[in-house]
Amino acid sequence: MKQHGKKYRAALEKIEPGRKYNLETAIAKIKEIAFAKFDETVELTMWLGVDPRKADQLVRGTIVLPHGLGKSKTVLVIAQGDKIREAEEAGADIVGGEDVVNRIKGGWTEFDAVIATPDMMRLVGALGKILGPRGLMPNPKTGTVTFDVTTAIKETKAGKVEYRVDKTGVIHVGVGKVSFEPDKLRDNTKALLDAVVRAKPATAKGKYVKKVNLAATMSPGVLLDEALYAK
């Protein structure tokens, strides 16, 4: 069993066992107990009453967080022709075609997001085993396979995040940094909560939002009152 350090145990003592907090109180508690020397990411975890093995219960989508994630993403665009110039003008950090695909095949992954135009997917498709496990594979459902590279780049830079239920029915997404003002963390977290609730599959039975937890990277989690979001 993992042995937690003194600072973690001290933080845990400040959380009432079993208590479910409202969002504002939970954020205040997270900021109070955060102890790392770096600016920790605040992460939202939701346990959903769905069966991810069924295609019609795969909860997935994207959302642009109102206040971003507190860091600038390095955006790679894989395109050709005029779309290369368009991507450069829209602020993409790296732009290329088959040359970039070959670099990635060679093990290069120094980027945070990948956008590809549909006509390049014949090449990008071969990168699935490299990009897929890192959550970087372009997908039309998340708006990262598109000819509208300008919009895709701007949304990604603004703090667009993807949420997707894993095989155990859990969604885990960063919503900001501990250093964020409380109202910004609240707005980001609520936006994500609302998006997941709206994405409830019509075929999902029983309780949809079963458990919600908010935590900083190094700190113990704080339970949110899931009843406030399980509408």
Side-chain angles (χ1 to χ4, degrees):
M1 183 178 290
K2 181 179 178 182
Q3 295 295 315
H4 291 295
K6 187 192 308 183
K7 291 182 179 179
Y8 183 97
R9 295 196 302 270
L12 188 60
E13 289 177 359
K14 297 179 181 178
I15 300 172
E16 295 179 37
R19 177 178 173 182
K20 295 181 179 180
Y21 295 76
N22 64 35
L23 184 53
E24 289 76 11
T25 308
I27 289 170
K29 181 62 67 174
I30 290 294
K31 293 175 78 68
E32 175 192 347
I33 66 176
F35 59 83
K37 293 181 179 179
F38 63 92
D39 192 8
E40 298 173 71
T41 296
V42 178
E43 300 164 335
L44 180 72
T45 304
M46 300 178 72
W47 287 259
L48 303 180
V50 297
D51 185 353
R53 296 171 298 178
K54 298 179 179 179
D56 58 359
Q57 292 192 36
L58 185 61
V59 180
R60 179 180 186 177
T62 61
I63 181 173
V64 178
L65 297 177
H67 306 290
L69 283 170
K71 66 175 183 178
S72 179
K73 286 188 174 182
T74 299
V75 177
L76 163 65
V77 175
I78 302 175
Q80 62 182 353
D82 292 341
K83 291 299 175 180
I84 288 182
R85 178 173 53 82
E86 181 182 333
E88 290 172 342
E89 292 177 351
D93 300 283
I94 309 156
V95 184
E98 189 171 1
D99 57 326
V100 170
V101 172
N102 289 333
R103 284 182 69 190
I104 296 171
K105 286 181 179 178
W108 174 71
T109 55
E110 295 177 18
F111 42 83
D112 303 309
V114 183
I115 297 164
T117 52
D119 57 347
M120 295 301 290
M121 287 306 293
R122 58 188 172 82
L123 297 175
V124 177
L127 302 175
K129 290 184 178 180
I130 300 172
L131 299 181
R134 294 174 171 82
L136 296 172
M137 189 65 184
N139 189 304
K141 293 181 179 179
T142 61
T144 50
V145 177
T146 177
F147 281 118
D148 187 2
V149 295
T150 297
T151 298
I153 292 166
K154 288 182 178 178
E155 288 184 345
T156 302
K157 289 282 189 179
K160 181 179 181 180
V161 298
E162 178 183 5
Y163 58 87
R164 180 175 183 171
V165 68
D166 66 17
K167 62 183 179 181
T168 65
V170 177
I171 285 176
H172 187 79
V173 186
V175 292
K177 295 289 187 179
V178 168
S179 61
F180 276 25
E181 291 297 321
D183 59 335
K184 291 184 177 181
L185 280 174
R186 180 200 64 214
D187 292 348
N188 279 1
T189 306
K190 190 172 186 309
L192 181 58
L193 284 164
D194 290 347
V196 174
V197 170
R198 286 195 302 270
K200 178 182 179 180
T203 55
K205 305 298 182 183
K207 191 174 184 180
Y208 178 53
V209 182
K210 298 170 70 175
K211 182 180 174 183
V212 186
N213 185 75
L214 198 64
T217 306
M218 303 296 291
S219 307
V222 175
L223 288 175
L224 296 183
D225 185 355
E226 77 281 355
L228 298 174
Y229 312 104
K231 299 175 182 177

